[in-house]
Amino acid sequence: MYRLAHLSDLHLGERPEHLVAARALVRSLLEEDVDHVVVTGDVTHSGLVAEYEAWLELFAPLLALKKVTVVPGNHDRAGDGVAELLSDELRVSVDGREGLFMVCIDSTAPHNRSTFRSHGDLCEQMLGAVDEALERAPQGWTRAVLLHHHVTPLPVEGLGEWFAERFGWPHAAELPLGRELLRRVQGRVDLVLHGHKHVPREQVLDGARPLRVANAGCSTVLGAYRVFSHHAGQVTAGRWVHAFAPTRPPLLERVLHGSPALP
Ligand SMILES: [Fe+2]
């Protein structure tokens, strides 16, 4: 069995606590000795080069082992714009480790330079590229699709999203072609991993090849991440690993509001 850790929405630079949390997460990941780590966007809070450099320093032990795959989030497009530093410039690319084939989707767009316009972008051309990428997946490997934005509607988190939904603004909405993406990959992919929403979720679409759709939430505030054990497309339910006791319980309460509690 291989073990894959999923983190998201580190928001490095938002507060000093996020950096402390990231250091603890990396220490925990090294102790767990997972085979690979994916981070599904919003690595930085303001898209600053200084925040990107903090990422490089904090995650250096894992990056040196080539154990990390990243897709950018909307916050990485703000400020200096570090999305291209975090991943390549392709909207759809592939990455692979023994036993794991990953299709990486950059769901961010130029409008994300404004942090208020945080919604993602996914077009037909990108779906075609995902189709083509999956044709190249080695037989017998677990397959994962990584992207930042959520693919199905999820509960409102916070007042800003409540207003957006009420007035029909797009910024809190799921990806316009998110459901179509799921329809196309169901039966061909084992995991769709995303973030953007800070409350973690997980759902399984049943079938001959079940598809697990998981949102990691904001790992630096939760102080926890999921580890999926997998082999040849057989994937276990994500096991939560707690890297530290959250230092700011009120914020954690807010993040978890309305969410199933972490086990
Ligand atoms: Fe985001």
Side-chain angles (χ1 to χ4, degrees), residues 9 42 74-75 148 196:
D9 293 70
D42 285 357
N74 52 296
H75 278 256
H148 179 62
H196 191 50

Side-chain angles (χ1 to χ4, degrees), residues 248-262:
R248 295 189 300 129
L251 182 54
L252 183 72
E253 295 285 307
R254 225 168 65 213
V255 166
L256 292 178
H257 178 70
S259 162
L262 298 182

Side-chain angles (χ1 to χ4, degrees), residues 25-34 61-62 65 67 225:
L25 288 166
V26 171
R27 199 180 309 125
S28 171
L29 288 162
L30 291 167
E31 282 168 9
E32 283 285 319
D33 195 25
V34 293
L62 291 163
L65 294 168
K67 279 194 171 185
Y225 56 90

Side-chain angles (χ1 to χ4, degrees), residues 176-195:
L177 290 178
R179 281 188 194 280
E180 178 61 15
L181 172 69
L182 289 186
R183 194 189 66 74
R184 291 209 196 177
V185 304
Q186 192 170 7
R188 305 163 72 196
V189 162
D190 310 295
L191 284 164
V192 171
L193 303 178
H194 70 87

